[in-house]
Amino acid sequence: MKPREIQKIMNEAIALVQQNEKEKARGKFEELLEKAGNDSVVLFNAGIFYSQLGEHLEASDYLHLSLEKDPNNQETMRRTILEDFHIGGGEVLESDFMAFDPAYLIKAQGLIKDALEKNSSAEDLKDLMERIETTIMQNRLAFKFCEGDLNYCRRAVSRKKELTNLDERV
């Protein structure tokens, strides 16, 4: 597909989104992905579109693909980090997404480390890294479960039950 054709369909899709014609826009993005699925700009815009629909897992997939095609694109890097942080339980995007997956926090953390290696003076990334690390600490039980440390999980749940029983007795 020629770049001019890609841009034309992209503009149509974006116009449909702005007109709140999301299903028609979805059709345009699906057409773009079918015909120009290797184009980093198409992948990035599809990621943004699916994020706006609340389909964050799909959005993350497209953003990661876009980043693979254009690893030096800072805008794509930042948006991918934010999407993964959101899926991992961080509250950065307005959404009703409830199926948090702590493994995405690790993905976001890795992306930020890569980005900071390229630009160590990016204060916004340093702040986001701090937020991610705080969220990881707050979700320690979930991470231990993901890492396969079931003994830790059993002890933590058992201790929580003991404390709950103690509270009920008092």
Side-chain angles (χ1 to χ4, degrees):
M1 182 175 245
K2 295 178 183 176
R4 192 175 302 145
E5 293 174 54
I6 293 171
Q7 190 60 48
K8 180 182 179 239
I9 297 171
M10 182 81 66
N11 290 341
E12 291 171 3
I14 292 169
L16 288 167
V17 169
Q18 292 169 346
Q19 296 166 9
N20 208 24
E21 296 281 344
K22 294 180 179 168
E23 286 308 310
K24 289 180 182 177
R26 182 190 300 268
K28 292 289 182 184
F29 277 109
E30 288 173 358
E31 178 184 349
L32 279 168
L33 289 166
E34 185 179 305
K35 294 179 179 178
N38 285 327
D39 185 290
S40 65
V41 175
V42 169
L43 293 165
F44 174 79
N45 282 292
I48 298 299
F49 172 71
Y50 283 105
S51 179
Q52 290 174 346
L53 288 181
E55 297 177 20
H56 297 286
L57 296 173
E58 193 158 352
S60 176
D61 290 344
Y62 287 123
L63 290 168
H64 277 278
L65 287 171
S66 177
L67 197 55
E68 286 176 21
K69 304 285 182 200
D70 188 4
N72 294 319
N73 187 316
Q74 292 301 305
E75 183 180 2
T76 303
M77 173 78 76
R78 281 173 163 53
R79 185 55 195 229
T80 306
I81 291 167
L82 289 174
E83 197 68 42
D84 286 351
F85 181 46
H86 183 68
I87 294 169
E91 295 177 19
V92 291
L93 304 172
E94 246 183 74
S95 134
D96 57 356
F97 186 74
M98 298 297 287
F100 300 120
D101 183 345
Y104 281 84
L105 287 174
I106 299 299
K107 283 183 175 182
Q109 186 180 41
L111 287 172
I112 286 182
K113 286 179 182 176
D114 291 345
L116 286 172
E117 285 177 9
K118 295 175 185 173
N119 180 6
S120 61
S121 63
E123 289 300 318
D124 62 327
L125 290 179
K126 289 179 184 177
D127 291 343
L128 189 53
M129 178 63 111
E130 188 175 311
R131 289 176 64 190
I132 288 172
E133 289 173 348
T134 299
T135 305
I136 288 171
M137 289 304 298
Q138 292 170 343
N139 295 300
R140 185 173 45 232
L141 181 60
F143 279 96
K144 291 293 186 177
F145 180 78
C146 288
E147 293 167 359
D149 190 349
L150 298 181
N151 286 330
Y152 175 88
C153 296
R154 286 186 193 105
R155 287 192 312 272
V157 170
S158 176
R159 182 71 179 137
K160 172 81 171 143
K161 286 179 184 175
E162 289 173 15
L163 292 173
T164 301
N165 289 339
L166 183 63
D167 284 346
E168 289 173 1
R169 283 187 248 146
V170 173

